[in-house]
Amino acid sequence: MSERVFDWRKRRSWLARIRHYAGDILTPELKAHISRERPDCWSDDLSWLPDWECVVSEFVSALTDYYSHFKGFHGCRPSSLKSYYEHGLLGQSSERLHNVFRRIFADVAQADVEEVIQQFSDRGKREQGTIWLLGCDKFLISQCGHYLIQGSEYLMALAANLEPSRQGEAYRFRLRNYGVPTVLEIDIPVWYVPQSQHMDVAKMILSEWGQLVARKPLYLNGIPPCYVLRRDIPPECLVGHHHPEMIRDPHNGYRAYVNNFLTCDGCQTSTSG
């Protein structure tokens, strides 16, 4: 099967392609019904869609047969990107992050650092091997910029739970001194994504299709799909990366954060092959 990548950012394209793989599911009769009734076509309540459970089930199968990959974006602040192009994107490792945490806060009392690590041991186990991605890089930069500005959410949580120093340092802001704000662009094989998330994406597509047919836009805020994987992503899935110059900072009132690191050791690697 040739590679077809579902890219949430290209709304016109994926709306136009629906007829190629789901024309026998979203029939002219169904379109006429929605056009006539003009319902509110929500993604979290598909009661506007006649026989919706059957329609969604068939649509999910058609969607995942047609597309081979979902495009996703991962925000991070790595110290090096060369390893990503060599070894891929590894799922979260609490042990690896604990070691990073110890290095960054080596000047803080060891007992305090270890106490915080112990407090988060259960969360570390729950999130072991997980990778989070969003379907739109612009949304990531404008709404979730803390992942680029400060890096791992797990590291942020550890740092935020350290007692502040006598100078009143907000420890999570120390994370801004390490690494390069980066957006990774990844084409995720469809079978890497859990079936429940296939369903979520299908419902979002059907909602957009329904709004178009009903001529009744809901003016939603454009939240893209979220892909939560429980496995490593091999290097051949990493199709590129970039370093945004301006990032909205959720931890500072969404003010503009200016990134002065616009290149990294992986930039030459990605362009050369």
Side-chain angles (χ1 to χ4, degrees):
M1 182 181 72
S2 61
E3 289 191 0
R4 296 193 186 101
V5 181
F6 175 79
D7 188 341
W8 177 257
R9 303 170 303 170
K10 298 180 179 180
R11 182 176 180 272
R12 287 187 178 182
S13 175
W14 52 255
L15 280 172
R17 291 188 178 192
I18 288 174
R19 68 178 183 272
H20 295 297
Y21 64 86
D24 59 340
I25 302 169
L26 307 179
T27 62
E29 293 77 17
L30 179 57
K31 290 176 67 176
H33 170 81
I34 294 173
S35 181
R36 182 175 61 254
E37 297 296 325
R38 302 193 68 204
D40 291 330
C41 300
W42 302 106
S43 63
D44 58 352
D45 179 4
L46 273 72
S47 58
W48 55 270
L49 192 61
D51 196 17
W52 71 268
E53 290 183 336
C54 181
V55 170
V56 172
S57 177
E58 293 180 1
F59 186 82
V60 168
S61 295
L63 173 73
T64 53
D65 282 344
Y66 184 79
Y67 288 105
S68 60
H69 295 75
F70 292 136
K71 187 173 289 295
F73 298 90
H74 179 75
C76 52
R77 189 166 182 140
S79 56
S80 171
L81 260 78
K82 271 191 173 181
S83 64
Y84 286 73
Y85 285 97
E86 294 172 357
H87 306 294
L89 184 57
L90 305 181
Q92 180 166 298
S93 164
S94 57
E95 181 179 357
R96 186 168 63 243
L97 291 173
H98 291 163
N99 289 334
V100 172
F101 183 64
R102 291 183 180 103
R103 287 199 303 272
I104 293 175
F105 296 97
D107 61 317
V108 178
Q110 174 102 21
D112 293 342
V113 170
E114 296 303 323
E115 181 181 353
V116 169
I117 288 174
Q118 185 59 38
Q119 288 173 6
F120 280 80
S121 61
D122 287 344
R123 174 174 171 177
K125 293 174 184 176
R126 289 195 308 271
E127 297 180 355
Q128 187 74 13
T130 307
I131 301 173
W132 292 264
L133 306 102
L134 280 176
C136 178
D137 52 343
K138 288 183 179 179
F139 186 90
L140 180 62
I141 294 164
S142 66
Q143 300 298 315
C144 310
H146 49 303
Y147 299 123
L148 288 80
I149 297 169
Q150 291 166 197
S152 161
E153 184 170 336
Y154 187 74
L155 274 180
M156 282 187 259
L158 292 172
N161 278 270
L162 271 180
E163 288 293 331
S165 66
R166 292 180 180 178
Q167 292 75 31
E169 177 186 0
Y171 279 135
R172 71 172 185 264
F173 290 152
R174 189 186 291 195
L175 301 176
R176 301 174 179 221
N177 299 325
Y178 299 87
V180 180
T182 304
V183 175
L184 302 178
E185 179 180 350
I186 297 167
D187 286 349
I188 315 162
V190 164
W191 61 275
Y192 282 19
V193 178
Q195 290 187 354
S196 61
Q197 293 169 40
H198 292 172
M199 181 75 72
D200 292 340
V201 174
K203 288 180 177 180
M204 295 171 76
I205 294 173
L206 286 168
S207 172
E208 294 290 334
W209 172 85
Q211 293 173 59
L212 186 65
V213 173
R215 306 179 309 284
K216 193 175 182 181
L218 296 175
Y219 300 107
L220 303 175
N221 57 4
I223 297 176
C226 179
Y227 305 109
V228 183
L229 310 186
R230 292 278 183 174
R231 57 161 300 147
D232 297 342
I233 299 175
E236 58 266 25
C237 296
L238 177 55
V239 297
H241 74 274
H242 67 279
H243 311 292
E245 185 173 356
M246 195 279 289
I247 307 164
R248 294 293 175 187
D249 186 355
H251 290 171
N252 194 22
Y254 285 93
R255 294 182 178 90
Y257 171 91
V258 178
N259 172 30
N260 294 317
F261 301 96
L262 302 181
T263 61
C264 72
D265 65 352
C267 290
Q268 185 175 357
T269 302
S270 64
T271 56
S272 62

